[in-house]
Amino acid sequence: MQCVTNKGAGAGLRERKKQATRAALSEAAVRLAAEHGAENVTVEAISNAAGVSPRTFFNYFDSHDDVFVMMDPDVGERVRRAIRDAPAELSPLDAVREAMAAELAEVERRHEVWSLRAKVFQKSPHLLARGLGLHMAEERDLARTIARRIDPDGHSGQGGPDVHGGPCEDADIELYPRLLAAVAGTAARVAIEHWYAHSPPLTFPEIFRDVFTHLSAGLPQPPAQTDDRPSDGRTTES
């Protein structure tokens, strides 16, 4: 048992070190690109700023552009795993909300880097286009996971594997899983934009959960804001 425990602890430590190295490379790349432009930042410069070798860089990223658009390539799988493992009594909407809220807490912790990354994308359309492509692929995978949660046996043709595919391969995914996956992505974007723009006295995950509260209610128009109502639309009694 002791050997198994030590082995598991060692694996966990190695994984944390890998995550820290990837985060250091991503942050160095974004900061350099924000100052000089992504096209003017080399792999060597990024590696030097992160304190690793260019060879180490390519252990984490396949290309120069990947360091900007794949800051955490495992986040999608973690969200999908959380949805698959969520309690059965949770609705699909609630399962998606909880899974994404847990991951989006990282956005708050590294808000400066994520904000700089958005500015880098604005100045580098090819990175924005590539990021959009990855987002669409993640959205399809999320839709498949939601479909499997709704219909584990795949009676409606929804039980296929969570793999990337084009429109033809995804024709078997029903409307609701597609819509929920797309809405969840939009909810995250709107919450991020609102948090950056208004800096309300709430954490980012709280704002994200508020967005899903509106969705769960069917998006009715909220009551008029008064002097005793915080800027996020909550009453002082909530």
Side-chain angles (χ1 to χ4, degrees), residues 40-163:
N40 300 317
V41 176
T42 64
V43 168
E44 288 75 15
I46 295 169
S47 302
N48 288 337
V52 300
S53 68
R55 181 176 180 179
T56 298
F57 176 97
F58 288 109
N59 288 335
Y60 292 88
F61 302 99
D62 291 335
S63 71
H64 168 275
D65 288 354
D66 281 350
V67 73
F68 301 104
V69 300
M70 299 181 68
M71 292 180 67
D72 188 351
D74 299 325
V75 64
E77 174 53 33
R78 290 197 300 269
V79 168
R80 294 190 294 273
R81 185 186 309 120
I83 292 171
R84 291 192 295 266
D85 296 342
E89 61 270 18
L90 284 186
S91 68
L93 183 69
D94 289 340
V96 171
R97 178 197 63 205
E98 293 304 311
M100 293 186 69
E103 288 296 331
L104 289 171
E106 179 71 4
V107 174
E108 183 171 41
R109 190 181 71 83
R110 301 180 67 195
H111 69 276
E112 181 189 6
V113 175
W114 284 98
S115 180
L116 287 174
R117 179 176 181 256
K119 294 177 181 178
V120 169
F121 274 29
Q122 290 174 0
K123 296 178 180 179
S124 301
H126 75 285
L127 293 179
L128 183 61
R130 184 166 182 179
L132 179 59
L134 289 173
H135 171 75
M136 293 176 66
E138 289 286 353
E139 185 180 294
R140 288 194 296 268
D141 285 351
L142 178 59
R144 282 194 172 277
T145 298
I146 295 169
R148 289 179 63 116
R149 180 178 175 84
I150 294 172
D151 185 7
D153 297 325
H155 291 149
S156 300
Q158 304 177 119
D162 301 337
V163 296

Side-chain angles (χ1 to χ4, degrees), residues 153-178:
D153 297 325
H155 291 149
S156 300
Q158 304 177 119
D162 301 337
V163 296
H164 297 308
C168 294
E169 290 84 349
D170 294 328
D172 59 336
I173 304 178
E174 298 292 338
L175 177 62
Y176 179 78
R178 287 177 178 273

